[in-house]
Amino acid sequence: MTVTTEPTAPVRKPVKAPRGYLVVGRTVAVPMRRASVLAGAGLFVLLLAAAVATLTWGRLGLDLADLPAALLGDAQGKDRFVFNRLRGPRLTVAIGVGAALGLSGALFQSVTRNPLGSPDVIGLSAGAGAGAAICALMFPDTIPVALGALIGAVAAMALVHVSTGTGFRNPARLVIAGIGVAAMGAAVTQYVVYALERDKASVLTAYVNGSLTARSWTDATTIWLVLLAAAPLTALISRRLGIGEMGDDISEGLGAEPRKAKTLAVILAVALSAAAVSVSGPIAFIALTAPQIAKRLTRGSGPQLLLSGLTGGLLLVAADLCAQQLPLFEDLPVGIYTMAIGGAYLGYLLIREWRRGVL
């Protein structure tokens, strides 16, 4: 009589995380630098503080003691109205739009390997704004504004791609063509608003400059759905984009498939920017400055996608806080404040480069 024994399964040893990496399961290893973790924690704390200030400051602000009840949906009376109709949706949209613009800018700057390769400079935001204005004014009951923004953004990027003659590969041509397309998009928007629909121009003035006034939970849902759908895809290509910044030949040799990664990155950047413009209008300079600030906080290489999103959210919430609370400039669109932030940042860069003897 023979006795057979079942083969025992080999005992799997737990995976030890290599230094500088966060291991998820047995197949995913995410690089984690101490500087990035510290910067992310600092940005999150600042964003949380700005969010609390947005909800509590001012004549209609909530009492700090009543804030937990409002967040849990138990607010009553005035607090319920302020949180659900005035401050809550506006704050949620500001964080989502800022994160979307920061992430979009980081993707474009990584693809183009150019710190000026943002949706603002290369015409994407202007094209999305033109498409949204045309749909909102000329076809108000036919084409949704969000779809119009997406069509305008895609059209602007197609025009830039054709105009350069080399696609998105030549940074100098990209910036020059983008400036021209941005001017054309702005001209179309102004023509539609002021010439075709002169009676409604006053209503849309804030939208043209970028505004978070009178946002709703529907707007918040729109931007956050797009952001949450794009986030995992950007995480999947972040490593390839980092390798791609070393050059197409090197990244191709390392198996990073730079063309596919760049194509997906451009598609995601267009979708994120178009979604942001559709709910808030073309808010300038967030996409340009957020990725650069994130890189300087960590002094790391590669696209700082998560930190760019956090930085974008913080910048827009801070700008909107100024728009709501500064007494000297009442009811100014938040886009004017972001222009001031972007202009100051570009001035700082110019002075720094001049001192270094680069300019």
Side-chain angles (χ1 to χ4, degrees):
M1 179 176 179
T2 59
V3 178
T4 60
T5 58
E6 293 282 339
T8 58
V11 178
R12 293 186 176 181
K13 296 181 180 180
V15 178
K16 185 179 180 181
R19 188 175 181 180
Y21 282 81
L22 172 66
V23 174
V24 182
R26 301 186 62 84
T27 58
V28 179
V30 181
M32 297 287 289
R33 297 175 61 247
R34 182 182 179 185
S36 298
V37 174
L38 292 176
L43 288 170
F44 181 78
V45 171
L46 290 175
L47 178 59
L48 185 62
V52 171
T54 298
L55 294 175
T56 58
W57 285 7
R59 183 170 54 88
L60 295 176
L62 305 175
D63 290 333
L64 193 60
D66 298 331
L67 187 57
L71 294 174
L72 294 174
D74 296 331
Q76 302 295 328
K78 178 184 78 73
D79 289 351
R80 184 182 182 89
F81 175 79
V82 169
F83 182 79
N84 288 331
R85 298 293 296 275
L86 300 180
R87 300 286 178 90
R90 182 168 183 161
L91 173 63
T92 308
V93 170
I95 296 174
V97 168
L101 291 175
L103 188 55
S104 176
L107 289 169
F108 259 112
Q109 290 177 16
S110 177
V111 168
T112 61
R113 283 177 278 168
N114 185 348
L116 293 178
S118 76
D120 303 321
V121 176
I122 63 176
L124 192 150
S125 295
I134 289 173
C135 291
L137 292 176
M138 299 179 66
F139 309 101
D141 300 321
T142 306
I143 303 176
V145 175
L147 180 59
L150 179 59
I151 293 173
V154 172
M157 287 302 92
L159 188 55
V160 170
H161 191 278
V162 172
S163 300
T164 60
T166 56
F168 299 115
R169 293 192 296 273
N170 189 307
R173 292 186 182 183
L174 178 67
V175 171
I176 293 172
I179 291 173
V181 172
M184 293 169 60
V188 170
T189 302
Q190 297 295 332
Y191 176 76
V192 170
V193 171
Y194 294 107
L196 295 184
E197 297 288 345
R198 197 168 298 169
D199 295 337
K200 300 179 183 178
S202 59
V203 178
L204 288 175
T205 299
Y207 174 84
V208 172
N209 291 290
S211 175
L212 296 172
T213 304
R215 299 303 97 181
S216 67
W217 289 116
T218 301
D219 297 319
T221 301
T222 299
I223 187 61
W224 277 99
L225 283 177
V226 175
L227 191 61
L228 292 175
L233 295 176
T234 57
L236 287 175
I237 63 172
S238 61
R239 184 69 173 168
R240 294 184 178 184
L241 290 175
I243 297 174
E245 291 187 358
M246 293 186 284
D248 290 346
D249 293 337
I250 295 177
S251 58
E252 189 75 44
L254 293 174
E257 297 181 323
R259 291 183 181 179
K260 291 183 180 179
K262 287 182 178 181
T263 300
L264 181 55
V266 170
I267 292 172
L268 291 172
V270 169
L272 287 165
S273 185
V277 171
S278 70
V279 300
S280 64
I283 295 178
F285 282 115
I286 296 294
L288 177 67
T289 57
Q292 294 302 308
I293 293 174
K295 279 196 172 186
R296 280 162 174 77
L297 286 175
T298 61
R299 299 186 181 277
S301 60
Q304 305 293 324
L305 299 179
L306 177 59
L307 294 183
S308 296
L310 280 173
T311 305
L314 174 61
L315 288 177
L316 190 53
V317 171
D320 190 49
L321 188 61
C322 293
Q324 294 182 65
Q325 302 300 333
L326 288 184
L328 297 178
F329 309 102
E330 267 189 64
D331 300 326
L332 276 182
V334 69
I336 295 178
Y337 287 92
T338 62
M339 288 180 189
I341 293 173
Y345 179 72
L346 288 177
Y348 157 74
L349 286 182
L350 288 172
I351 293 173
R352 194 189 69 168
E353 296 300 315
W354 174 72
R355 286 179 175 175
R356 291 172 57 187
V358 176
L359 296 178

